Amino acid sequence: MSDEVEIPEVDAVSGSGIPIRGNDIDTDQIIPARFMKVVTFDGLGEFAFFDLRFDDDDDQKDHPFNEDRFQDSSVMVVNSNFGCGSSREHAPQALMRWGIDAIIGESFAEIFAGNCLALGIPTVTADSETIEELQDWVDANPDGEIEIDVEAEEVTYGDETIDVTVDDAQRKALVEGVWDTTALMKSNAGAVRETARELPYVDDAAIPGAE
């Protein structure tokens, strides 16, 4: 049986946008801790931004994730230091399961951006004025298409094309299709087993798939 696993290249992402305004939106706001008591990440999408979207009586608050016009959106536009706080990987998992494929913002917490990369979600940055203009455009054009060229570091919307920044390591991993480290390990399982066999302290019986 072949160990090879195909990892898709992510050189471009497109979709309609959803603006999430505010600086320092942390991972506890993205996915409250009480929703993390799950064995898998399935179903987390419905709880994204839950406490910002609903009051104590589960009545809806004013939030873009509650608005009908943004329900098919896949590109989130955020402000500064998005994803700060704890390192919980549940935050990007919840956003991905809600439908987010890419995030454009002023800046991201480093661990959050790394967790997004592990899911193939680009986190690209631009200055505050550029982001605010894009958020305003998305508000006025909820069905408008946003195109993110990861490799060229450009975002196109309406009649505008803006320069954005993609971390060099992130861009390389996405464009070359090496962002999924779990899949990479699976695709190199044979080499991993071979290395394990050569280690004097690893018993052959403990090596999965070893003969």
Side-chain angles (χ1 to χ4, degrees):
M1 184 177 70
S2 172
D3 289 322
E4 189 167 343
V5 178
E6 185 174 346
I7 305 172
E9 298 170 357
V10 185
D11 51 11
V13 179
S14 63
S16 58
I18 179 168
I20 302 297
R21 301 178 190 269
N23 298 326
D24 306 313
I25 294 177
D26 62 33
T27 53
D28 193 54
Q29 294 176 68
I30 297 171
I31 182 70
R34 66 186 182 279
F35 297 120
M36 293 167 54
K37 301 172 184 177
V38 291
V39 177
T40 70
F41 297 115
D42 295 340
L44 277 184
E46 65 182 293
F47 302 119
F49 296 115
F50 193 88
D51 291 342
L52 299 179
R53 295 167 56 200
F54 300 95
D55 62 22
D56 292 339
D57 297 320
D58 286 338
D59 293 324
Q60 286 192 357
K61 299 180 184 178
D62 183 18
H63 191 277
F65 267 46
N66 288 336
E67 296 185 41
D68 289 341
R69 62 191 183 131
F70 293 129
Q71 292 308 300
D72 294 325
S73 299
S74 60
V75 178
M76 200 160 64
V77 189
V78 302
N79 295 109
S80 175
N81 198 30
F82 187 83
C84 57
S86 74
S87 60
R88 65 186 63 163
E89 58 183 319
H90 296 69
Q93 288 279 357
L95 295 175
M96 180 181 72
R97 281 161 171 72
W98 190 86
I100 299 301
D101 295 328
I103 312 175
I104 307 170
E106 294 176 46
S107 62
F108 298 91
E110 184 175 354
I111 294 176
F112 174 82
N115 286 337
C116 285
L117 175 60
L119 299 175
I121 299 174
T123 49
V124 311
T125 59
D127 62 75
S128 58
E129 182 178 350
T130 298
I131 293 298
E132 186 175 342
E133 289 175 356
L134 178 54
Q135 288 175 326
D136 290 344
W137 182 86
V138 170
D139 245 335
N141 301 273
D143 296 323
E145 189 87 350
I146 300 173
E147 297 180 5
I148 302 170
D149 189 324
V150 176
E151 187 169 18
E153 297 184 280
E154 291 181 344
V155 167
T156 301
Y157 66 95
D159 297 325
E160 299 285 333
T161 296
I162 58 176
D163 293 328
V164 295
T165 300
V166 186
D167 175 79
D168 287 342
Q170 179 185 130
R171 186 171 75 250
K172 178 181 174 66
L174 290 168
V175 171
E176 295 183 5
V178 293
W179 50 268
D180 190 336
T181 53
T182 301
L184 283 173
M185 289 179 66
K186 288 181 179 178
S187 67
N188 289 282
V192 173
R193 285 192 290 268
E194 193 61 38
T195 298
R197 287 191 188 96
E198 296 173 1
L199 297 174
Y201 50 84
V202 177
D203 191 286
D204 282 352
I207 304 173
E211 297 177 355

